Amino acid sequence: MVYTRLDGWKRALSVCGVQAELILGTIARKDKESGHSNACYLEDRVSFSEDKLMDTDSKAVMMAWEKPLMEAHAKAVCSNEGHVLNIGFGMGLVDTAIQQYNPISHTIVEAHPEVYDRMLRNGWGEKENVKILFGRWQDVLPQLESYDGIFFDTYGEYYEDMREFHQHLPKLLKPGGIYSFFNGLCGDNAFFHVVYCNLVSLELENLGYTTQLVPLPVKDCLAKDVWEGVRQKYWQLDTYYLPVCQYTDEPV
Ligand SMILES: C[S@@+](CC[C@H](N)C(=O)[O-])C[C@H]1O[C@@H](n2cnc3c(N)ncnc32)[C@H](O)[C@@H]1O
């Protein structure tokens, strides 16, 4: 087998990624000993405006500039039609886009009481094909079924939590189903973002899933004043890599 310089880089990145993950994982596990990752966020107030949803720390839970990304995620997870699951309602951008595809069933899991109240006030509880499960995904797992498309986008959780969610994919995702997640991992640092993209792909590969990272330019989504009043610019890169994950029978 001939190894190219790119292979070398990929291997080096994977090693860095695993090391970083081990450190971050240890920190996350330590934090978790005193309760779940985002307990404070879920107990605090949130505030809604037209272009963002904020926590009490002035950090953005969700922002309207992500709308084109959410539309692309919806398109990916609805490509098989059928039954769709979304974890994390936020501003409802991805769910609004999912509804355009008229899925047979559309299950939404949301854990924040104010976000949940707002969903109900906006009529999400009355949509025929929508089922809302109020609670943390970790707590409503026994009520979940299996789906043709799944999207995962929570707030205030760690990589460790998403990784835990991935362990449930074999039960939650139907054969041939599509899984995607908000790929904001280290979205403020180009190097570590690549590390995380590689790491998550490798971990999904270990579970039998292929991950295609579809590049989407996002520079034009980010107007100059978009971060005004927001404490943390959680995304600072020009390209978003939209993950499209599928189970494969082939050895990967
Ligand atoms: C980034 S927002 C989701 C944005 C959404 N994709 C959209 O298109 O507007 C994250 C959402 O996940 C919810 N959330 C956080 N932790 C959760 C958990 N463990 N289970 C379910 N929902 C959670 C938050 O309350 C928040 O509404």
Side-chain angles (χ1 to χ4, degrees), residues 11-251:
R11 271 201 311 279
L13 281 175
S14 303
V15 171
C16 287
V18 171
Q19 286 170 339
E21 196 284 331
L22 286 173
I23 295 166
L24 293 172
T26 308
I27 296 168
R29 271 188 290 273
K30 278 236 166 287
D31 280 0
K32 268 189 151 185
E33 281 164 16
S34 55
H36 58 78
S37 330
N38 59 4
C40 293
Y41 157 70
L42 292 176
E43 282 160 19
D44 266 353
R45 305 296 310 261
V46 288
S47 57
F48 292 91
S49 63
E50 212 170 284
D51 63 346
K52 48 188 161 321
L53 165 60
M54 304 269 273
D55 70 8
T56 46
D57 221 12
S58 297
K59 289 191 188 145
V61 177
M62 183 61 186
M63 297 179 78
W65 70 263
E66 288 184 41
K67 187 168 178 253
L69 306 182
M70 292 300 133
E71 288 170 350
H73 279 292
K75 188 175 180 189
V77 298
C78 292
S79 58
N80 285 329
E81 301 175 349
H83 303 271
V84 178
L85 168 68
N86 175 43
I87 311 283
F89 181 80
M91 294 173 72
L93 301 179
V94 82
D95 290 296
T96 302
I98 288 170
Q99 278 292 294
Q100 307 297 310
Y101 294 91
N102 202 17
I104 298 173
S105 78
H106 176 181
T107 303
I108 308 171
V109 180
E110 173 54 50
H112 197 289
E114 285 184 88
V115 177
Y116 173 66
D117 280 353
R118 194 165 189 264
M119 290 173 78
L120 297 184
R121 273 187 277 119
N122 289 340
W124 282 88
E126 282 125 51
K127 293 190 194 291
E128 246 177 42
N129 57 352
V130 171
K131 176 177 173 185
I132 305 173
L133 296 173
F134 172 57
R136 297 168 62 237
W137 63 263
Q138 294 87 338
D139 298 332
V140 303
L141 270 172
Q143 294 169 61
L144 297 179
E145 291 162 41
S146 58
Y147 303 89
D148 300 286
I150 301 178
F151 182 59
F152 182 91
D153 180 14
T154 63
Y155 176 76
E157 296 196 312
Y158 294 102
Y159 178 71
E160 185 86 351
D161 297 285
M162 185 167 79
R163 188 207 225 181
E164 191 183 320
F165 180 76
H166 291 168
Q167 307 305 312
H168 299 281
L169 280 179
K171 264 197 161 176
L172 295 176
L173 194 64
K174 286 190 186 178
I178 305 271
Y179 167 64
S180 191
F181 57 89
F182 175 64
N183 190 3
L185 302 161
C186 275
D188 55 355
N189 181 302
F191 177 77
F192 283 109
H193 184 59
V194 174
V195 168
Y196 264 107
C197 285
N198 277 285
L199 181 64
V200 73
S201 304
L202 280 173
E203 292 194 335
L204 284 165
E205 191 177 304
N206 281 339
L207 293 168
Y209 298 90
T210 56
T211 302
Q212 199 194 338
L213 293 167
V214 181
L216 297 178
V218 284
K219 219 175 173 178
D220 294 344
C221 304
L222 293 157
K224 253 194 179 160
D225 57 353
V226 83
W227 299 109
E228 230 163 71
V230 179
R231 208 168 135 201
Q232 201 176 25
K233 293 183 188 174
Y234 60 86
W235 185 267
Q236 296 182 44
L237 311 175
D238 290 345
T239 306
Y240 178 76
Y241 291 94
L242 185 140
V244 179
C245 313
Q246 251 185 316
Y247 186 74
T248 174
D249 284 335
E250 309 285 317

